[in-house]
Amino acid sequence: GENVEQHPSTLSVQEGDSAVIKCTYSDSASNYFPWYKQELGKRPQLIIDIRSNVGEKKDQRIAVTLNKTAKHFSLHITETQPEDSAVYFCAAPSDTGRRALTFGSGTRLQVQP
Amino acid sequence: EAGVVQSPRYKIIEKKQPVAFWCNPISGHNTLYWYRQNLGQGPELLIRYENEEAVDDSQLPKDRFSAERLKGVDSTLKIQPAELGDSAVYLCASSLDSRVAGVTDTQYFGPGTRLTVL
């Protein structure tokens, strides 16, 4: 089945710096890669996703890049703000019909003011 | 547009007791998922429904867990009897089936039910 590995597990940056979180996946047929942000006690919220027909997607301060050959994708947050502090999860389609998701183990991002 | 609704938000029970969680998906979303999220980990799929049919329940511990989605809208997940290791957040998610083979649809999560088994 699909295996998603995420790193680092924790990341601390100064306000205004950039943050990068990386994920690798095992199934070369995977074609959809979402990123979710989860604040303490809250629901996972989709912040950006990318499908395999593009290599990069941007939404204001957030971008995701995809390298299909190497089977990895990354979340980039620029000009970080304290409200970016949360746990971020990457995901890829599970191998069971590609309808469900297999999640990474999460990255706790702390933005220091 | 209302998001995915779950209740209760918190539940504390003693081991061996039964417990049930309820989920109302986003209106019009025909696919519904139940995930379990252990502390410090990502969500893990328990069961997926397409309309009222459970199409992927391979990760559901069927000796004690059951689920239903009557009429293809709301869903209930039940544990009977609960064990200490069942303590986790139970997340419901829904998506609109694009009906395109091999395409993973965007999933929207509810706030979850935090279960504590004592």
Side-chain angles (χ1 to χ4, degrees):
Chain A
E2 176 67 279
N3 183 40
V4 178
E5 296 195 358
Q6 181 173 349
H7 57 94
S9 57
T10 59
L11 179 60
S12 182
V13 300
Q14 291 295 125
E15 184 177 358
D17 286 351
S18 295
V20 181
I21 304 170
K22 298 181 179 180
C23 287
T24 61
Y25 60 98
S26 59
D27 187 351
S28 58
S30 287
N31 55 9
Y32 173 67
F33 307 94
W35 285 90
Y36 286 85
K37 175 183 180 182
Q38 188 174 30
E39 297 178 57
L40 190 62
K42 301 283 183 64
R43 73 185 74 198
Q45 287 204 299
L46 180 71
I47 56 171
I48 196 167
D49 57 11
I50 190 168
R51 297 193 184 266
S52 59
N53 56 343
V54 296
E56 183 176 1
K57 183 176 179 181
K58 244 184 154 179
D59 183 3
Q60 299 182 2
R61 297 185 297 108
I62 293 173
V64 56
T65 58
L66 172 64
N67 184 325
K68 290 174 60 180
T69 303
K71 291 189 284 187
H72 68 70
F73 56 111
S74 300
L75 177 71
H76 304 255
I77 306 174
T78 58
E79 300 172 22
T80 54
Q81 302 168 2
E83 51 265 38
D84 294 329
S85 297
V87 179
Y88 292 81
F89 292 97
C90 63
S94 301
D95 59 354
T96 52
R98 309 205 175 285
R99 295 295 185 178
L101 294 171
T102 296
F103 284 82
S105 55
T107 296
R108 181 173 299 279
L109 174 64
Q110 183 69 43
V111 180
Q112 306 289 345
Chain B
E1 176 183 282
V4 177
V5 179
Q6 289 187 248
S7 69
R9 291 295 315 278
Y10 305 91
K11 190 74 177 178
I12 301 174
I13 61 172
E14 296 197 343
K15 62 181 180 181
K16 300 185 181 180
Q17 293 300 305
V19 65
F21 315 123
W22 175 80
C23 173
N24 178 243
I26 293 173
S27 178
H29 282 194
N30 53 340
T31 305
L32 183 145
Y33 315 76
W34 282 103
Y35 288 87
R36 177 168 60 189
Q37 185 175 26
N38 292 313
L39 190 64
Q41 298 181 22
E44 295 178 324
L45 181 72
L46 291 173
I47 189 169
R48 175 171 67 89
Y49 281 92
E50 289 184 6
N51 298 304
E52 63 275 8
E53 183 183 359
V55 294
D56 182 0
D57 63 356
S58 57
Q59 301 303 312
L60 190 73
K62 297 182 184 63
D63 57 335
R64 297 183 300 107
F65 286 65
S66 64
E68 61 182 11
R69 191 184 184 197
L70 301 176
K71 300 182 181 179
V73 181
D74 295 357
S75 177
T76 302
L77 177 68
K78 297 178 181 177
I79 309 175
Q80 183 171 11
E83 296 179 352
L84 295 177
D86 296 332
S87 295
V89 175
Y90 291 82
L91 292 164
C92 178
S94 70
S95 66
L96 182 61
D97 187 357
S98 64
R99 302 192 182 279
V100 177
V103 170
T104 308
D105 304 301
T106 301
Q107 296 180 27
Y108 300 90
F109 283 83
T113 297
R114 181 177 296 278
L115 174 67
T116 301
V117 182
L118 302 176

